Amino acid sequence: MSTGDELQFVVFRVGPQEFALDIFQVERILRYEKPATLPKAPEYLEGVVQYAGGVVPVIDLRKRLAVPATLKEETRVMVLEMDAHRVAIVVDQVLEVLRVEAPTITPPPPMVQGLAAAYISGIISRPSRTIVVLNAARLFTSKEKLALVAAGG
């Protein structure tokens, strides 16, 4: 098997559901630190945190996906590289780095298509687990991305 057929994902939990992002979209995983709040920010934009000599906007993915958000010891902030900008997302728990053969990732079923399919790039099925693969670049509309870039300085 050639390495081109294998993909790596960072698997994390938001509420009861497991999600994954391509490992190349994830720059760093940090312990949760309360962000500095920004006035008049949308509800899902928690604020900004200092990172790599600048600030990065922090999105609570739990609020974005309408999942109850409680802070726990395992709550993490994942810094993502998105369209040449960084954004951080808050997740309940980072679980593992998973290697998957590309052909085993299935597209979202037709009933999921529409709004949700815009940011779901596939489904990884494992015994007793279903992992939803997200496309970080599509989690936000272009207007939201502009607001995030402005928030990040």
Side-chain angles (χ1 to χ4, degrees), residues 9-12 17-22 61 65 98 105-106 108-109 112 116-117 119-125 129-135 139:
F9 295 94
V10 177
V11 180
F12 58 94
Q17 180 59 52
E18 290 183 23
F19 294 95
L21 284 167
D22 185 304
L61 196 58
L65 299 175
L98 184 65
I105 301 170
T106 57
V112 176
Y119 45 82
I120 296 173
S121 59
I123 308 288
I124 300 170
S125 295
R129 293 172 76 188
T130 300
I131 303 165
V132 177
V133 180
L134 298 176
N135 181 334
L139 282 174

Side-chain angles (χ1 to χ4, degrees), residues 36-109:
T37 55
L38 298 171
K40 298 185 180 181
E43 184 190 359
Y44 61 85
L45 178 57
E46 292 284 294
V48 293
V49 292
Q50 290 187 19
Y51 177 76
V55 292
V56 177
V58 178
I59 305 302
D60 194 327
L61 196 58
R62 302 163 310 169
K63 289 179 182 174
R64 183 74 180 168
L65 299 175
V67 172
T70 49
L71 292 175
K72 297 186 175 137
E73 177 64 29
E74 55 275 354
T75 301
R76 294 289 180 266
V77 174
M78 294 171 56
V79 179
L80 309 179
E81 182 74 31
M82 192 170 65
D83 298 335
H85 296 284
R86 291 183 180 123
V87 64
I89 59 172
V90 178
V91 301
D92 287 322
Q93 183 178 17
V94 175
L95 301 170
E96 64 182 311
V97 171
L98 184 65
R99 292 175 185 267
V100 179
E101 290 181 36
T104 66
I105 301 170
T106 57

